[in-house]
Amino acid sequence: MVAEYVAYDADIAAVASLIADPTRAAVLTALLDGRALAAGELARLAGVSAATASAHLARLLAGGLVTVVSQGRHRYYRLSGPEVAEVLEVLARVSPRPQVRSLRQSRQARMLREARTCYDHLAGRAGVKLLEAMLAAGHLAGRDSYELTAHGGRALAELGVDVDAVRAVRRRFAPACMDWTERRPHLAGALGAAITRSLLERGWYRPGPAPRLLELTDLGGEGLAAMFSCKGLTSNTPVT
């Protein structure tokens, strides 16, 4: 029997096969916080040899899922853009959760749910609650893609976000990104990235003890409550 031709406009299988390998999936996940990492660091995080990591990175590079930056003799890899991060987040949302085998894994899983970066914007319970607070306060309007109101523009200017510069970026302005742990959207795009950058610069959030993790500071809890009426957030600081 001759197979019937099915028209398609993208070679989904080629990209899916790149992500499907466990080592390459681990490498891509390690790059989800937007940082550029050396091959040796990625090998350690994926639990493979340097030679094995280099071979997988070559395939990811050829497939356009990562880019490389050279500094002297060193080469640093990062995701090729926010679109790749979005694909990985969607896959995480429909994938089974790995079995937790230690107290450390349980603690990190809890911290990932509370506050993390999704490429370059705030995600987890913290990101979802911030978006809900901004919508409730009238800072944003819309559903699947948001527009900033005049009231929201003033609030973000107070936060230190240059909205005009954000609009000039060649990237979607303020799309919703479905959070894979909360099953509700957080704010992504150029605006989500700019807000997250300001939160870190102000010291309202700080990097956590593992990649992607963020910790809410006391200053941040007070500031988010005062500026956005965003309450009920908890710190990600591990209990010792």
Side-chain angles (χ1 to χ4, degrees):
M1 178 182 293
V2 178
E4 183 179 350
Y5 174 74
V6 179
Y8 59 92
D9 59 6
D11 189 359
I12 298 172
V15 174
S17 66
L18 285 173
I19 300 173
D21 179 87
T23 297
R24 291 194 291 273
V27 167
L28 292 169
T29 301
L31 296 172
L32 256 179
D33 62 356
R35 293 182 302 162
L37 298 176
E41 177 68 4
L42 290 169
R44 185 185 67 79
L45 292 170
V48 297
S49 68
T52 298
S54 294
H56 284 294
L57 284 166
R59 292 196 60 181
L60 292 171
L61 189 61
L65 296 186
V66 301
T67 59
V68 62
V69 177
S70 297
Q71 293 185 357
R73 295 181 299 171
H74 302 286
R75 288 160 60 87
Y76 297 91
Y77 297 85
R78 70 191 325 154
L79 295 184
S80 58
E83 298 83 4
V84 179
E86 290 173 14
V87 169
L88 297 173
E89 285 282 322
V90 170
L91 288 174
R93 196 166 73 243
V94 299
S95 300
R97 302 279 79 80
Q99 185 176 357
V100 174
R101 300 181 182 276
S102 68
L103 179 61
R104 179 172 177 269
Q105 288 179 336
S106 176
R107 183 182 297 117
Q108 286 201 358
R110 175 188 61 77
M111 294 173 74
L112 274 174
R113 289 193 299 270
E114 181 60 33
R116 66 182 186 274
T117 52
C118 172
Y119 191 59
D120 57 3
H121 53 270
L122 181 64
R125 179 172 172 268
V128 168
K129 286 188 70 67
L130 177 57
L131 174 58
E132 290 176 347
M134 293 182 72
L135 288 168
H139 295 131
L140 294 170
R143 185 170 182 179
D144 296 324
S145 185
Y146 305 104
E147 187 51 59
L148 187 66
T149 65
H151 178 48
R154 290 190 292 271
L156 292 186
E158 184 180 346
L159 184 65
V161 175
D162 185 340
V163 176
D164 290 337
V166 173
R167 291 190 186 279
V169 175
R170 295 186 60 183
R171 180 178 176 184
R172 287 190 294 168
F173 178 65
C177 180
M178 187 60 67
D179 196 279
W180 66 266
T181 54
E182 295 298 300
R183 302 296 196 270
R184 291 178 291 166
H186 58 248
L187 182 64
L191 186 62
I195 291 173
T196 304
R197 189 163 53 248
S198 290
L199 293 175
L200 288 166
E201 289 173 352
R202 278 179 167 247
W204 289 11
Y205 275 95
R206 62 189 174 213
R212 301 184 66 195
L213 296 181
L214 296 176
E215 295 178 354
L216 177 70
T217 65
D218 291 341
L219 181 64
E222 295 170 0
L224 287 168
M227 188 174 292
F228 299 107
S229 298
C230 186
K231 302 176 182 178
L233 298 175
T234 59
S235 172
N236 243 347
T237 304
V239 178
T240 57

